[in-house]
Amino acid sequence: MADTIRFGISMSQDLLDKFDRMIHKKGYTNRSEAIRDLVRNALIEDMWENEAGTLAGAITIVYDHESPGITDTLIHMQHRFHHLIISTVHVHFDEKNCMEILIVKGTAQEIKELHDKLFSLKGVKHSRISVTAII
Ligand code: NI
């Protein structure tokens, strides 16, 4: 495990009060853990924006399974991107709509490319990406 370094942070009383109220609401018991989480979030966001390193995540799509060809196209694409897609979960949302969660691992560029291809398919109504990394 890497050494833990202690360092001081300067900020206005007003800003610190707002920060303390927020982390209290979220259930943090100390500022250090809250700040570590903020730093991790910022680092992962930077990896996503600058397309550096390996990320893992989920692409969630909602689609109309009655849209012509959509089911075959989605299966075809999942085989084409098999190196990125670790697993999928399919939920029959209602009589017409399906939700599929694709669990992916790759670079931000690869994940964005796959997401864009999925979202632009006719019949796909909504999609969301959520990514994380080991920091
Ligand atoms: Ni379904």
Side-chain angles (χ1 to χ4, degrees):
M1 194 177 156
D3 290 339
T4 299
I5 308 297
R6 293 178 67 89
F7 64 100
I9 298 174
S10 304
M11 67 174 76
S12 69
Q13 185 67 56
D14 181 50
L15 190 58
L16 184 60
D17 289 345
K18 286 176 180 164
F19 183 69
D20 283 344
R21 276 198 298 275
M22 180 194 76
I23 67 173
H24 178 74
K25 233 175 13 185
K26 289 177 183 278
Y28 287 100
T29 53
N30 67 69
R31 290 176 184 148
S32 291
E33 186 55 29
I35 290 168
R36 282 193 289 271
D37 283 353
L38 288 177
V39 170
R40 286 190 199 101
N41 277 344
L43 290 170
I44 291 169
E45 204 169 297
D46 185 62
M47 287 173 73
W48 179 248
E49 283 168 8
N50 293 299
E51 305 190 335
T54 301
L55 296 155
I59 299 174
T60 304
I61 58 171
V62 174
Y63 64 95
D64 173 359
H65 84 265
E66 290 170 353
S67 181
I70 186 79
T71 308
D72 284 349
T73 304
L74 282 173
I75 290 173
H76 174 74
M77 284 192 56
Q78 289 179 24
H79 280 278
R80 189 173 147 206
F81 288 91
H82 68 91
H83 55 288
L84 274 182
I85 302 168
I86 298 166
S87 186
T88 59
V89 177
H90 185 98
V91 177
H92 306 303
F93 210 86
D94 58 23
E95 288 183 2
K96 190 177 164 69
N97 297 290
C98 299
M99 180 175 81
E100 200 147 286
I101 303 166
L102 291 79
I103 299 160
V104 295
K105 188 176 170 189
T107 65
Q109 190 183 357
E110 290 171 324
I111 296 170
K112 284 175 190 175
E113 186 190 341
L114 173 59
H115 169 263
D116 290 347
K117 285 187 188 321
L118 291 166
F119 194 26
S120 62
L121 293 175
K122 195 170 184 300
V124 175
K125 297 173 170 179
H126 189 239
S127 77
R128 273 283 182 266
I129 311 177
S130 159
V131 291
T132 188
I134 308 300
I135 298 282

